[in-house]
């Protein structure tokens, strides 16, 4: 899963409290400053939902047991990145 934010200029504090660096254009309150693009991809690489660039949205997908079984050998460990289980 890749969860990305969608936001417009109006979602941020007004200038000069918050200034977008590197923008050559004047941003209106409705200007999109982060276009989103959230997506759900199966362990086999198939795109199950998204990406969404149309605005705020909730995407979901039914992973099913087959997807979950593919993930059983892996566990995310903050200290060691990915750990492989033997049994």
């Amino acid at each position: 899963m890749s969860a990305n934010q969608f936001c417009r200029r109006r979602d941020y504090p007004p200038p000069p409290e918050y200034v977008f660096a590197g923008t050559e254009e004047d941003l209106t309150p409705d200007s999109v400053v982060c276009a989103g693009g959230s997506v759900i991809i199966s362990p086999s690489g198939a795109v199950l939902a998204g990406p969404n660039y149309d605005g705020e949205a909730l995407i979901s997908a039914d992973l099913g047991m087959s997807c979950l079984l593919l993930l059983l050998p892996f566990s995310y460990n903050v200290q060691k990145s990915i750990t492989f289980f033997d049994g």
Side-chain angles (χ1 to χ4, degrees):
M1 286 193 281
S2 174
N4 301 307
Q5 67 181 357
F6 177 88
C7 54
R8 299 183 187 278
R9 174 65 183 99
R10 67 173 169 249
D11 299 325
Y12 290 87
E17 293 177 40
Y18 196 95
V19 178
F20 291 92
T23 57
E24 302 296 326
E25 60 188 69
D26 291 328
L27 298 174
T28 67
D30 289 328
S31 296
V32 175
V33 293
C34 188
S38 296
V39 66
I40 301 173
I41 300 174
S42 75
S44 64
V47 176
L48 302 176
N52 177 51
Y53 295 106
D54 297 329
E56 293 182 28
L58 177 65
I59 61 172
S60 64
D62 182 14
L63 298 180
M65 280 306 260
S66 61
C67 287
L68 297 176
L69 291 174
L70 288 172
L71 296 175
L72 276 178
F74 304 101
S75 173
Y76 185 70
N77 184 324
V78 175
Q79 295 175 346
K80 296 181 182 177
S81 188
I82 294 179
T83 302
F84 296 89
F85 290 115
D86 291 331

